[in-house]
Amino acid sequence: MDATDARLAEQYEAFPYPQRDPREEAKRLIVGSPSHLREIDHWIFGARRPAAQPLRALMAGGGSGDGTMMLAQQMAWAGRPGEVVWLDRSAAARQVAEARAAQRGLDNVRFESGSLLDLRALGLGLFDYIDCCGVLHHLPDPAAGLRALAGALAPGGGVGLMVYAPHGRTGVYMLQDALRLLAPESETPPARVEIAKRLWKQAPDTAWLRRNPWITDHLEGGDAGLYDLLLNPRDVSFTVPQLVALIEDAGLRLRCFVEPLRYDPDRYLNDPKLRARTAALDPVARAALAEAICGNMGIHIAYCTREEAPRPDWSDDQAIPVLRELDGAALGKGIPGDGVLRVTYDGLRIGVPMPRLASAILPLVDGRRSIGAIGAVLAERGIRADAFRRDLALLRDALEPLNRLLLAAPA
């Protein structure tokens, strides 16, 4: 452990991240990406891996436990066999995560102390799915970290990543520079937090972080959030091409960014001359263009696999479509009269055209009915099979890139 690693370890002992109170587990489950069970089933396994097959997951750098609680609780609610292994070197974070699991009565979580860089020596075996959320960008060698994770993947498995992205973090690195002068790393974490709070109160309106509404950890994340954002001793961000290079260097393949729609430049560019040029770009260059022109991506979330990932088969009558954190009936009723659903990502509003039959299909997407069963119900209502298939494909084209309409794991 070098001096920077020692300071990083000291930080997370003083301020386990993210800042969580285990008593709040009775009120809410924090849900997000990566590592939502429905996303893993869809993006990693192509909705081909049976739900009855035990899932072994690793939370590499599990911190205070957001991803661990989400995945373990979703598995428990669904009656899915398997275990979630929490791994982190912070004793303080482990204490918080264990208390949260106890509050939920989860018996499918195992806690292990250590570094993901020592996975081979820890002897934890292979995993079907590995989460590494907000960790690689703090490592001395992110490439070595991702290679270690790739080496712990079981055949057919995959990884969910989250790393910082530079453009959407405008203002962060400027204040980090300022705090290196005002709150040197030789001081204790609590002393540095006090100075950071004072600086934020005094920072002029021209400070770029004041003009960046999408970064809120220093405002809403407590002392742990403020320290992690502005005082972290090692903080590296990745553009799209840099992240893809990191993934490929580890022997992995990019499956998708989340949400895929955000990385499609044609969602923002209607000019036919510009679209003619975007059409000539490869997928990585297209995603890099979207990142550069939007300017609001503060993180990148990606799913990747070692082998070529199977694609979800929307033509399979037995496949079961599911909505992620959406109520189909409410969504169907809420489609505007012009048929265009408006969604907002970090201040950027995008119109998503919906097919004519969307309001008829969506209430039937309940996580139990198969595609064939939905088609049968609509047939009884006089809707022809070819019309249903056409509009289901259009609905998939609209909502799958939003990471909201997915296919479930087969029973």
Side-chain angles (χ1 to χ4, degrees), residues 18 20 24-25 28-41 43-44 55 57-59 62-80 82-86 96-111 129-133 159-162 258-259 301-303 324-325 403-404 406:
R20 297 291 182 242
E24 293 184 357
E25 297 306 307
R28 62 169 181 168
L29 177 67
I30 296 171
V31 175
S33 301
S35 303
H36 193 291
L37 183 57
R38 288 183 171 176
E39 294 177 14
I40 296 170
D41 288 337
W43 297 117
I44 298 292
L55 177 69
L58 172 68
M59 295 290 164
S64 57
D66 280 3
T68 303
M69 297 308 113
M70 176 181 67
L71 181 55
Q73 184 66 79
Q74 289 173 342
M75 290 171 64
W77 281 338
R80 299 278 288 270
E83 70 170 350
V84 179
V85 178
W86 176 100
V96 174
E98 284 184 328
R100 294 176 70 183
Q103 283 283 333
R104 291 188 168 276
L106 294 171
D107 60 5
N108 58 350
V109 182
R110 179 153 64 94
F111 291 89
Y129 174 73
I130 297 175
D131 169 290
C132 192
C133 185
V159 179
L161 300 174
M162 186 280 276
V258 175
E259 292 77 8
I301 297 170
Y303 285 111
R324 217 214 82 171
E325 275 70 60
N403 196 35
R404 286 300 181 265
L406 309 171

Side-chain angles (χ1 to χ4, degrees), residues 360-374:
I361 296 172
L362 284 168
L364 300 176
V365 179
D366 57 7
R368 297 185 301 274
R369 288 187 180 93
S370 67
I371 289 174
I374 293 172

Side-chain angles (χ1 to χ4, degrees), residues 4 6 49 67 113 151 177 249 262 272 279 291 295 332 346 349 372 387 392 400:
T4 302
R49 191 177 194 271
S113 294
D177 289 343
D249 178 72
R262 300 186 70 179
E291 173 187 26
D346 297 325
R349 201 168 190 223
L392 177 65
E400 187 186 44

Side-chain angles (χ1 to χ4, degrees), residues 156-378:
V159 179
L161 300 174
M162 186 280 276
V163 297
Y164 295 149
H167 303 324
R169 284 168 68 80
T170 296
V172 171
Y173 298 111
M174 300 171 189
L175 282 187
Q176 285 185 3
D177 289 343
L179 285 166
R180 287 189 188 95
L181 299 172
L182 289 174
E185 293 177 342
S186 58
E187 297 183 357
T188 65
R192 298 186 76 208
V193 164
E194 180 192 354
I195 296 301
K197 289 179 177 177
R198 289 175 179 272
L199 175 61
W200 179 247
K201 288 181 180 179
Q202 294 290 300
D205 291 340
T206 52
W208 277 108
L209 190 57
R210 289 206 181 278
R211 303 185 177 200
N212 187 342
W214 310 298
I215 301 294
T216 59
D217 240 9
H218 58 305
L219 304 174
E220 302 171 1
D223 288 353
L226 183 145
Y227 200 108
D228 199 66
L229 183 72
L230 298 178
L231 295 165
N232 199 296
R234 187 186 289 120
D235 174 341
V236 179
S237 57
F238 295 84
T239 62
V240 163
Q242 289 169 338
L243 178 55
V244 172
L246 186 75
I247 290 169
E248 292 177 348
D249 178 72
L252 299 172
R253 304 165 184 252
L254 175 67
R255 174 63 180 87
C256 73
F257 288 109
V258 175
E259 292 77 8
L261 172 142
R262 300 186 70 179
Y263 293 83
D264 178 2
D266 289 348
R267 300 283 184 169
Y268 318 114
L269 305 176
N270 295 319
D271 186 315
K273 286 190 176 181
L274 292 178
R275 284 198 170 185
R277 297 196 174 207
T278 65
L281 300 176
D282 64 48
V284 173
R286 288 174 62 83
L289 175 61
E291 173 187 26
I293 62 178
C294 290
N296 66 344
M297 297 181 188
I299 60 173
H300 293 308
I301 297 170
Y303 285 111
C304 46
T305 57
R306 189 163 50 208
E307 296 84 18
E308 184 70 33
R311 300 285 168 166
D313 185 3
W314 289 89
S315 67
D316 180 4
D317 269 359
Q318 301 305 311
I320 297 176
V322 291
L323 289 163
R324 217 214 82 171
E325 275 70 60
L326 288 175
D327 176 80
L331 180 59
K333 288 180 181 178
I335 297 173
D338 64 359
V340 178
L341 188 68
R342 273 81 181 181
V343 296
T344 303
Y345 289 109
D346 297 325
L348 182 62
R349 201 168 190 223
I350 303 170
V352 180
M354 302 290 279
R356 183 178 61 86
L357 294 177
S359 59
I361 296 172
L362 284 168
L364 300 176
V365 179
D366 57 7
R368 297 185 301 274
R369 288 187 180 93
S370 67
I371 289 174
I374 293 172
V377 171
L378 295 179

